[in-house]
């Protein structure tokens, strides 16, 4: 579906599939909820600043309100003390929602293998995209964003994909 | 400079510190404890508490040690307000009870935590889940009672005497609170009547990890303390270890370290200023300020291989020498930094909104700032000219021409402007260093400290053994207890290291400038507006990684 084709007459009716149209709308308007706690949040600031400019990908509207966001970027170490807050904010986000785990600490605890660091946020919430690096360069974060957008374009969005997920903080 | 190390009997500690205070030691640096249960030789008792205080001329510090027959000791919060959180931390990590402490509760670990993690008996990987966050209501009630905002009734409940209070939770998950600082406030209309802060959301176990790694392996951990200026943490740590070893670096290495220290000071101040102006609503500043920082990143990634977490320093030198053409790159970067700073200053210098929002907001007087153990630009903004680069020079700082920037009121405006001026002073120092950079080696030639060249490691048996020993066992540091510090971007960043002669430190304690600044924050914002509290927090430049460690 090439809506940007200049040869299209201006008063045309386009026939398409609903999934395609919705996927196209979703991929170009991801609103991030940035859960930044540490060094990775500084790299996210770089990604939002003018050189890397995350708004080129339609993901600029950084809303720090979970109700208005559909892409959660967890940037930084999540400790056991922070975990309930992360879980609460994830639960407050409405579907459809995606989660990017940015950096080694969020993915696996990184080299903080000790008594206070959660060994990866996938122990408490489901994750769609992992970005490696300590901290990852802004290009890596933009790459994760593009991967999610590609999934949406090929409408792989599946509402039930985390239905059986059971985290450490979920009620047994 | 000879610093004193004194041992005092456990029953006399309060009166001893009181007398020291009268003698002019009015600046508390740090309080920590040592668990001697696994130390190589036996001490009087299994636990001791360490106090580090500084004289008011800022040239001399004293390390006071007291052994604990029982895990109880008198609190010194009545002498130093900054001791409040420091003692809470010792209680949290070691389980030492401070009698007469106004609010002895955990500060870094969560409230459902069982045990004391820095004791040697606590296994490092034993994590403990938290299911529900602390609501802070009891702490808030005590705070309100002490300020006589509420009255307690006979049945033990509280009544709001004549005010209609609203309770509001700021953070931790909010960009203005850096994602890691939580402040619970009682509002009367728009005015904050009482505030209590909770930290520890980024407590990543730095000190416990240090006890399980060799000295050079700790360098990457120090990067992530103050992640806005990683190199200055590297230098602070390896400088302390080098002082313990008793080695002196070459002229060239010292000059390069000074230059990198000042460069990291510039980049840290840039982030702080960009963020504090965003908290005010001035997003334009952010775009103008952040681009020069990207240029500094490019320079540092060319030099060290990483943008943010450089890990450039090693015990006894650094990873590499400067590359060819560094000089020209640095000049370009400095031009861009000056351009960015001037552009933002144009935006705010005569901006009425900026002046109204920052002047006489979040004021802390010089006496209060010293008593609360504030340090660095925050202390200088209150009018105290304490700068370790002038008071206790190291690495030849006495050779360079620069001024100490001092504020007059101690409000947000002073703290912002002190940082603007310090960027200029740092650039002055960088230019002086680069004008006459000495030639020579950057690493000291000592096989027991620095790694051999790659050629020697791959072709000679001595080199291979030397490399193997240093990597596997680490640098052997003589057994002693030592406090070393330098002027990092946020103030005095110190490391108290206990060595047992092996390649792994027995204990490391960081004296973090952000920690004491944050402990003064609740008192600073009480009585001001809610929006001003956000600005005050931004202007203190609290870096959570350094505060929570």
């Amino acid at each position: 579906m090439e809506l940007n084709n200049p040869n299209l007459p201006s008063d045309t009716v386009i026939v398409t599939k609903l999934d395609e149209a919705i996927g196209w709308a979703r991929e170009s308007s991801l609103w991030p909820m940035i859960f930044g706690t540490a060094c990775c949040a500084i790299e996210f600031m770089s990604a939002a600043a003018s050189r890397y400019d995350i708004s080129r990908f339609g993901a600029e509207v950084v809303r720090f309100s979970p109700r208005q966001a559909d892409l959660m970027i967890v940037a930084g170490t999540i400790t056991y003390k922070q975990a309930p807050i992360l879980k609460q904010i994830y639960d407050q986000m409405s579907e459809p929602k995606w989660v990017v785990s940015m950096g080694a600490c969020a993915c696996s605890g990184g080299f903080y293998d000790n008594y206070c660091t959660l060994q990866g946020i996938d122990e408490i919430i489901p994750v769609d995209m992992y970005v490696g690096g300590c901290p990852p360069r802004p290009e890596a974060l933009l790459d994760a964003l593009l991967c999610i957008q590609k999934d949406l374009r090929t409408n792989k969005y599946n509402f039930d994909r985390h239905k059986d997920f059971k985290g450490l903080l979920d009620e047994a | 400079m000879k610093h004193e190390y004194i041992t005092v009997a456990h029953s006399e500690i309060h009166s001893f510190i009181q007398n020291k205070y009268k003698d002019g030691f009015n600046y508390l640096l740090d309080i920590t404890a040592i668990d001697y249960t696994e130390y190589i030789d036996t001490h009087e008792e299994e636990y001791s508490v360490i106090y580090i205080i500084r004289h008011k001329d800022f040239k001399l510090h004293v390390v006071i040690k007291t052994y604990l027959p029982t895990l109880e000791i008198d609190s010194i919060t009545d002498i130093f307000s900054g001791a409040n959180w420091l003692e809470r931390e010792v209680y949290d990590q070691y389980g030492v009870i401070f009698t007469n402490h106004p609010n002895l509760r955990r500060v870094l670990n969560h409230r459902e935590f069982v045990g004391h993690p820095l004791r040697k008996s606590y296994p490092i990987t034993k994590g403990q889940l938290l299911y529900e966050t602390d609501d802070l209501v009891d702490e808030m009630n005590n705070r309100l009672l002490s300020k006589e905002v509420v009255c307690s009734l006979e049945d033990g409940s509280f009544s709001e005497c004549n005010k209609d209070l609203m309770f509001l939770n700021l953070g931790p998950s909010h960009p203005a609170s850096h994602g890691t600082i939580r402040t619970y406030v009682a509002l009367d209309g728009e005015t904050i009547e009482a505030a209590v802060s909770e930290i520890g959301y980024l407590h990543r176990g730095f000190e416990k990890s240090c006890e399980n790694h060799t000295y050079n392996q700790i360098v990457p951990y120090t990067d992530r303390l103050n992640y806005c200026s990683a190199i200055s943490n590297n230098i602070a740590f390896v400088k302390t270890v080098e002082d313990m070893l008793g080695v002196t670096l070459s002229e060239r290495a010292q000059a390069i370290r000074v230059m990198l220290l000042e460069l990291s000071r510039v980049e840290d101040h840039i982030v702080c200023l960009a963020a504090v102006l965003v908290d005010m609503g001035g997003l334009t500043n952010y775009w103008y300020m952040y681009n020069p920082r990207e240029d500094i990143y490019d320079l540092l990634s060319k030099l060290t291989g990483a943008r943010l977490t450089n890990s450039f320093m090693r015990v006894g030198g650094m990873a590499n020498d400067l590359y060819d053409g560094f000089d020209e790159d640095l000049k370009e970067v400095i031009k861009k930094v000056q351009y960015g700073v001037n552009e933002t200053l144009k935006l705010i210098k005569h901006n009425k909104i900026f002046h109204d929002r920052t002047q006489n907001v979040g004021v802390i007087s010089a006496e209060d700032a010293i008593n609360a153990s504030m340090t660095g630009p925050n202390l200088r903004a209150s009018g105290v000219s304490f700068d370790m680069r002038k008071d206790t020079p190291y690495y030849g700082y006495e050779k360079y021409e620069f001024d100490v920037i001092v504020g007059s009121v101690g409000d947000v405006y002073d703290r912002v402007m002190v940082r603007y001026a310090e960027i200029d002073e740092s650039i002055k120092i960088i230019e002086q260093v680069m004008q006459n950079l000495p030639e020579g080696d950057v690493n000291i030639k000592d096989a027991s400290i620095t790694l051999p060249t790659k050629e020697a490691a791959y072709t000679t048996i001595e080199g291979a053994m030397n490399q193997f020993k240093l990597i596997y066992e680490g640098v052997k540091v003589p057994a002693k207890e030592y406090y070393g510090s330098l002027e990092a971007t946020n103030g005095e960043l110190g490391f108290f290291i206990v060595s047992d002669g092996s390649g792994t430190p027995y204990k490391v304690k960081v004296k973090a400038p952000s920690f004491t600044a944050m402990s003064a924050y609740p008192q600073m914002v009480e009585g001001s507006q809610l929006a001003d509290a956000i600005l005050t927090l931004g202007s203190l430049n609290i870096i959570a990684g350094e505060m929570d460690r």
Side-chain angles (χ1 to χ4, degrees), chain B residues 197-400:
Chain B
S197 286
E198 192 194 18
I199 63 167
Y201 288 99
L202 197 59
H203 175 52
R204 306 191 268 197
F206 172 84
E207 281 145 17
K208 190 79 175 174
S209 296
C210 285
E211 296 171 11
N212 290 273
H213 291 79
T214 63
Y215 285 95
N216 272 325
Q217 281 176 327
I218 293 172
V219 170
Y221 280 100
T222 58
D223 273 331
R224 289 152 183 85
L225 288 173
N226 183 343
Y227 36 74
C228 291
S229 55
I231 290 187
S232 59
N233 307 308
N234 292 176
I235 296 177
F237 178 73
V238 295
K239 176 176 177 285
T240 307
V241 178
E242 283 154 9
D243 289 351
M244 290 171 83
L245 288 163
V247 294
T248 313
L249 291 181
S250 66
E251 291 278 309
R252 182 177 175 84
Q254 293 190 16
I256 291 177
R257 280 193 181 181
V258 168
M259 185 265 294
L260 289 174
L261 266 172
E262 297 306 320
L263 193 64
S264 57
R265 193 182 315 275
V266 169
E267 71 169 337
D268 193 295
H269 285 349
I270 283 179
V271 166
C272 171
L273 294 171
V276 78
L277 293 165
V278 170
D279 290 343
M280 219 174 299
L283 207 60
T284 318
N285 295 282
Y286 177 72
W287 312 126
Y288 276 105
M289 267 307 230
Y290 212 84
N291 285 345
R293 188 177 153 92
E294 288 285 346
D295 296 314
I296 296 179
Y297 276 162
D298 287 349
L299 178 79
L300 287 179
S301 50
K302 216 167 159 180
L303 176 69
T304 67
R307 284 161 54 90
L308 202 73
T309 46
N310 311 95
S311 306
F312 192 55
M313 295 297 151
R314 304 283 181 275
V315 177
M318 52 197 69
N320 293 306
D321 204 337
L322 302 180
Y323 61 86
D324 290 340
F326 178 85
D327 203 0
E328 287 75 37
D329 286 355
L330 183 67
K331 281 191 182 123
E332 282 299 308
V333 166
I334 283 178
K335 264 194 212 122
K336 285 172 175 162
V337 169
Q338 282 171 326
Y339 176 78
V341 167
N342 292 337
E343 290 291 300
T344 34
L345 273 177
K346 269 185 216 166
L347 282 163
I348 61 168
K349 211 176 214 166
H350 304 295
N351 184 328
K352 189 162 175 11
I353 299 174
F354 172 77
H355 286 260
D356 288 352
R357 284 296 312 275
T358 55
Q359 288 185 357
N360 296 319
V361 166
V363 182
I364 184 160
S365 67
E367 293 77 29
D368 288 351
I370 286 185
N371 199 263
S373 305
M374 274 195 172
T375 171
N378 300 330
L379 182 65
R380 291 194 281 274
S382 298
V384 183
S385 64
F386 169 41
D387 190 327
M388 289 188 69
R389 296 172 295 173
K390 288 279 190 200
D391 292 323
T392 51
Y394 48 92
Y395 291 156
Y397 262 113
E398 63 274 14
K399 293 184 304 201
Y400 304 114

Side-chain angles (χ1 to χ4, degrees), chain A residues 43 51 77 81 111 114, chain B residues 124 199 203-204 221 298 307:
Chain A
E43 279 305 58
R51 180 178 297 187
T77 316
K81 194 170 183 173
F111 68 175
N114 55 28
Chain B
I124 180 170
I199 63 167
H203 175 52
R204 306 191 268 197
Y221 280 100
D298 287 349
R307 284 161 54 90

Side-chain angles (χ1 to χ4, degrees), chain B residues 139-154:
Chain B
E139 199 176 342
M140 175 56 94
N141 282 339
N142 290 333
R143 183 84 196 132
L144 288 169
L145 269 181
S146 69
K147 290 178 72 83
E148 295 176 351
V149 179
V150 298
C151 332
S152 74
L153 301 176
E154 286 169 10

Side-chain angles (χ1 to χ4, degrees), chain B residues 24-36:
Chain B
F25 285 85
N26 67 348
Y27 187 74
L28 175 75
L29 285 173
D30 206 355
I31 304 176
T32 184
I34 307 176
D35 172 2
Y36 283 117

Side-chain angles (χ1 to χ4, degrees), chain B residues 8-217:
Chain B
V8 180
H10 149 265
S11 53
E12 294 163 9
I13 191 77
H14 189 276
S15 54
F16 183 83
I17 290 181
Q18 187 102 50
N19 289 335
K20 277 279 177 201
Y21 185 85
K22 285 176 190 147
D23 294 345
F25 285 85
N26 67 348
Y27 187 74
L28 175 75
L29 285 173
D30 206 355
I31 304 176
T32 184
I34 307 176
D35 172 2
Y36 283 117
T37 43
E38 293 174 14
Y39 200 70
I40 38 171
D41 44 14
T42 47
H43 281 258
E44 282 176 45
E45 303 286 348
E46 288 195 334
Y47 286 89
S48 74
V49 175
I50 304 284
Y51 298 85
I52 307 170
I53 52 178
R54 198 179 266 285
H55 194 266
K56 65 179 175 219
D57 66 2
F58 297 118
K59 287 188 173 18
L60 178 74
H61 70 251
V62 178
V63 178
I64 301 162
K65 180 174 176 180
T66 176
Y67 288 104
L68 299 179
T70 57
L71 286 184
E72 276 193 35
I73 192 161
D74 285 338
S75 164
I76 56 164
T77 41
D78 53 337
I79 311 174
F80 297 105
S81 63
N84 188 324
W85 279 22
L86 291 166
E87 290 183 350
R88 276 173 65 184
E89 188 189 338
V90 175
Y91 161 73
D92 184 0
Q93 302 280 42
Y94 285 97
V96 177
I97 309 284
F98 289 88
T99 42
N100 305 327
H101 188 285
N103 178 26
L104 197 63
R105 50 197 291 157
R106 288 187 184 274
V107 64
L108 291 180
N109 295 302
H110 54 76
R111 69 191 174 113
E112 291 175 22
F113 200 92
V114 181
H116 300 285
L118 279 190
R119 290 185 179 183
K120 289 287 175 182
S121 53
Y122 193 93
I124 180 170
T125 51
K126 188 182 159 194
Q128 301 185 23
L129 271 180
L130 168 74
Y131 291 93
E132 202 169 318
T133 315
D134 194 351
D135 59 6
L136 298 182
V137 166
D138 53 342
E139 199 176 342
M140 175 56 94
N141 282 339
N142 290 333
R143 183 84 196 132
L144 288 169
L145 269 181
S146 69
K147 290 178 72 83
E148 295 176 351
V149 179
V150 298
C151 332
S152 74
L153 301 176
E154 286 169 10
D155 59 358
S157 62
F158 299 98
S159 94
E160 300 169 13
C161 316
N162 47 13
K163 285 194 168 154
D164 185 16
L165 292 179
M166 186 181 91
F167 294 94
L168 186 70
N169 188 49
L170 303 174
S173 175
H174 189 278
S177 61
H178 302 222
T180 45
I181 301 162
R182 179 178 170 205
T183 310
Y184 187 56
V185 292
L187 291 173
D188 179 22
E190 193 74 9
T191 311
I192 297 175
E193 286 294 332
V196 289
S197 286
E198 192 194 18
I199 63 167
Y201 288 99
L202 197 59
H203 175 52
R204 306 191 268 197
F206 172 84
E207 281 145 17
K208 190 79 175 174
S209 296
C210 285
E211 296 171 11
N212 290 273
H213 291 79
T214 63
Y215 285 95
N216 272 325
Q217 281 176 327

